Amino acid sequence: MFSVAIITCICLVSVVVSYIAFRRGFTRNADDYFVAGSSLGYFVLIFSLLASFLSAFSQFGMSSLGYRTGFGSIFVLTVNLVPLGFLWYFIHKKTFLLGRSRKWMSMGAPFGERYGNSMRVLVPIVVFIASIFYIVAQVQGIGLMLEAMSNEVISYHVGVFFIPLFIAVYLIMGGMKGAAWVNTIQGLFFSFMVILLFFVVMSQQGGFIPTMDAVYAKHPELFELGQKGGKVWSLPMIFGFAAAMSLGCVCFPQPYMHAYSSRTAKGLKAMFLSFGGICIIIITMPILVGIASTILVPGLSGVEADKVYGLIASEVLSEPLAALVVAGGFTAAMSTVNGMVFGNAMNMANDLYKLAKPDMLPREQIAVARVCVLVILIISIVIAWDPKTPVAELSVVAFGMVSVTLFPLLGAYFWKRATAFGAISATVIGAGLNVYFVLKGGSSMILMPQPAFFNLNGFLFAFIVTGIVFLVGCLITKPGTVEKESLPLFFHPSLSK
Amino acid sequence: MTQKNAKFKKNVYFVLFCVLTVFCWCPIGYGTYGPANRIFGMPDWAVITFIISIVFFILQWIYLFHTDLAIKDNELEEIFHQLSDLNRK
């Protein structure tokens, strides 16, 4: 039960850190609670953004994917994220500058000012629907790992219920600053643990190259592109995964939250650049651990393979160290839940509730966000109660869906001709297609190349359709009053650098 | 640096970044289906991908921190001042 004690300690430390943020007055007004008073330095920003994205998926899911499918997994969440340095900077530079200037505190704010209130309402709803998949994936990972670590003494359902409760407590107390501090501590912890596990696993077979040689002798298919007659890691499949994950990262609430919270331009740039660089190390390692595990803990498949990270840790490390390593995976899952839940609560309080009640007091606004935190976590627990889909696939669906907001965002910042009609129709049709594909064909329809879609996967097909709808929708309508009035702000010469 | 020169440089970086993004998102041109040669125990296409992504990372670092093309802290005050003037109008 050493492992359970460690998890409990991590939860308590997180609550204490958040309590300190609360006691030091970092949640007194709306600006402090939602965007940490735009005061976060680059070290906290880097690790907070990293931890808010890297999750159960990055360790449990990616080691599972590496275990099941091999080296092609590096295109899902490692090398494909390096372009985010420039993608985030080019797109969210305006989020940072305009957000600081206009006191934005939510994702809907730029869409609302550029296209009007319909988009301000629509975007948080689409992001929430997409985020729920991702949050559920983290909660599932938490439940599975706790069950594996405790040798099934603690059931999946107990883990799924209690850990989100701790998360709710520290998010409700600490606001953005508390969440960022907790994320940073959790991010540093799980990064260190990933590195530790990687080196120990590789040392079991005499080093990295001998380990890969041993894997290659037994499973040469893990080193191939186009496995199983071109069905696994075909070029269209790789491109679909890579683009979905990267573009989803641009559109999730975390970059908005962190851009609003950044104190300096240097911090903003360092945060965006570091993310991809750190991912190459911190996520490649679980993939390689998963690949090495095919010879150390053979015979796992499907949802069972999601436990490989914990099982290999138990196989190669002493019990206390194994518990710490798996606890690292836990903290990763928790920090992502922090970021996603807080981001969505921020959107609901600032975009949906404030729109319905524009004259509400800051204290009321914070109270609404706190209630939203609780409600989102309860919904996640209910959905995660019955796990049916492997964690990795579930998360990619989320990234694919949220990326439909990319075209309206690009239009808002870079195309004067963009209209509310184009933005609304693109978002509704893009999100609708993703939901339809999931309902009709499950996650495989979103992820795997479909002959009916010119061999693109459902995500890419929906993404391209969204782009076309946006373009056509904007061209057949004329910018209205809101769009015209927003132009001097969104295209101000000072933003052009 | 003149404005025209800066715009040209920015466009060059942008095109370069887009090309490298495609290579980071798909091993097109350097990865083939079926058995692969191995370098350092890994398939050759994976090693090439890592090299491309490291080069890309360095280029982004140069763009963001060692050129005059990205925003800097000493410019923020002026930008916010101009934007707040607009807000007041």
Side-chain angles (χ1 to χ4, degrees), chain A residues 415 417 419 421-422 425 469-479:
Chain A
W415 193 29
R417 187 68 181 72
T419 67
F421 178 80
S425 50
V469 169
F470 179 69
L471 191 70
V472 174
C474 291
L475 290 175
I476 60 171
T477 52
K478 287 185 177 170

Side-chain angles (χ1 to χ4, degrees), chain A residues 86 102 213 265 269 497, chain B residues 60 64 68 71 73 75 87:
Chain A
F86 107 93
R102 302 286 292 172
D213 288 343
K269 293 187 291 184
K497 185 172 182 181
Chain B
Q60 290 179 104
L64 290 172
D68 286 332
I71 50 166
D73 281 315
E75 299 163 342
N87 290 343

Side-chain angles (χ1 to χ4, degrees), chain A residues 71-72 74-75 78-87 89-90 93 96-98 100-102 208-209 212-213 216 222-226 230 233-236 238-239 242-243 246-247 263-270 273-274 276-277 280 284 288 488-489 492-497, chain B residues 3 10 13-14 17-18 20-47 49-50 52-54 56-65 67-73 75-76 78-80 82-84 86-88:
Chain A
F71 274 92
I74 62 171
F75 290 101
T78 61
V79 292
N80 63 311
L81 298 184
V82 172
L84 282 175
F86 107 93
L87 283 173
Y89 175 75
F90 273 95
K93 181 185 70 180
F96 168 67
L97 295 172
L98 290 172
R100 285 279 297 273
S101 168
R102 302 286 292 172
F208 177 73
I209 294 176
M212 290 301 127
D213 288 343
Y216 187 72
L222 298 179
F223 294 69
E224 292 178 11
L225 294 171
W233 301 132
S234 63
L235 296 186
I238 289 174
F239 188 74
S246 290
L247 297 174
R263 186 170 56 211
T264 62
K266 188 180 175 186
L268 182 90
K269 293 187 291 184
L273 176 68
S274 305
I280 294 183
T284 300
L288 295 173
L489 179 68
H492 193 274
S494 64
L495 300 170
S496 62
K497 185 172 182 181
Chain B
Q3 223 171 9
K10 214 171 185 175
Y13 269 109
F14 187 79
F17 288 171
C18 288
L20 288 170
T21 297
V22 171
F23 285 132
C24 283
W25 283 1
C26 190
I28 194 161
Y30 62 88
T32 52
Y33 290 178
N37 294 323
R38 291 192 305 132
I39 303 169
F40 305 124
M42 295 185 284
D44 53 2
W45 50 265
V47 175
T49 311
F50 283 124
I52 289 171
S53 57
I54 291 165
F56 193 4
F57 178 84
I58 293 168
L59 283 172
Q60 290 179 104
W61 174 62
I62 291 169
Y63 178 87
L64 290 172
F65 291 100
T67 67
D68 286 332
L69 303 171
I71 50 166
K72 291 189 167 59
D73 281 315
E75 299 163 342
L76 285 186
E78 176 60 23
I79 294 172
F80 290 142
Q82 289 186 31
L83 290 173
S84 58
L86 193 70
N87 290 343
R88 276 196 290 273

